[in-house]
Amino acid sequence: MAANETRYTLPLPEFRAPVKLLIVVAPYYKDITDQLVAGAQAVAAACGATAEIIEVPGALEVPTAIALAERMAKFDGYVALGCVIRGETTHYDTVCNDSSRAITMLGLQGAAIGNGILTVENRKQAEVRAEALGQNKGGGAAAAALHLIALSRKWATDTKGIGFRP
């Protein structure tokens, strides 16, 4: 079972210049997303990053809000948070697949995003994964965004030049 596996976690990156994160949360299951947000805020603070939080109606709106912010605001990276619990219909599959796909597409376009939208079978699974003092998936999503920001800053300083490479 994955819960019993030993996992390696990268050390948090260090930054010379301030980092500004946008945490986008769909608070449909507010008690669960409050834990995700707490974990994300703690990791952001541990790196010296500032974080602004906005709420959207559901997981499908999270990537849209990130896309709007990427075009219209000034953030270094984004943390996508929410929780989708399987129900009786196929709506679960649509929400999980489409929100994840949209976040991935934004990332491939250059946005530094940590995806912390839980996709679970039941409430107990969500509670275990969200708990800030437990699996802390919100903190993990913030850490992922911060690592991508560190990479983008590293590579932004490298120049590739013009023409042929030696």
Side-chain angles (χ1 to χ4, degrees):
M1 182 177 224
N4 297 326
E5 294 292 325
T6 301
R7 294 179 282 268
Y8 174 74
T9 303
L10 292 172
L12 291 174
E14 295 179 12
F15 296 96
R16 293 182 191 160
V19 174
K20 187 175 177 187
L21 289 176
L22 178 64
I23 298 173
V24 181
V25 60
Y28 191 80
Y29 300 103
K30 189 154 175 40
D31 59 321
I32 292 168
T33 57
D34 284 350
Q35 285 288 308
L36 293 170
V37 169
Q41 287 178 308
V43 169
C47 278
T50 60
E52 183 177 325
I53 301 169
I54 61 165
E55 293 182 342
V56 295
L60 289 173
E61 290 75 37
V62 170
T64 302
I66 291 171
L68 289 168
E70 183 73 353
R71 280 194 305 272
M72 304 170 78
K74 185 66 180 147
F75 292 96
D76 297 299
Y78 308 91
V79 182
L81 300 177
C83 178
V84 185
I85 300 175
R86 185 178 297 278
E88 297 175 359
T89 69
T90 58
H91 183 65
Y92 169 87
D93 298 313
T94 299
V95 174
C96 294
N97 292 333
D98 290 356
S99 63
S100 178
R101 184 176 298 112
I103 289 168
T104 299
M105 294 304 295
L106 289 166
L108 292 173
Q109 293 170 11
I113 307 171
N115 187 352
I117 298 177
L118 303 179
T119 55
V120 297
E121 298 293 322
N122 55 57
R123 174 171 272 282
K124 182 63 179 162
Q125 289 177 350
E127 291 168 350
V128 168
R129 285 157 180 75
E131 191 173 68
L133 297 176
Q135 287 191 15
N136 192 17
K137 297 298 184 180
L146 291 162
H147 281 288
L148 292 171
I149 293 165
L151 282 175
S152 69
R153 287 185 178 183
K154 174 190 182 304
W155 289 330
T157 60
D158 294 343
T159 59
K160 294 187 177 189
I162 299 173
F164 297 101
R165 292 186 185 172

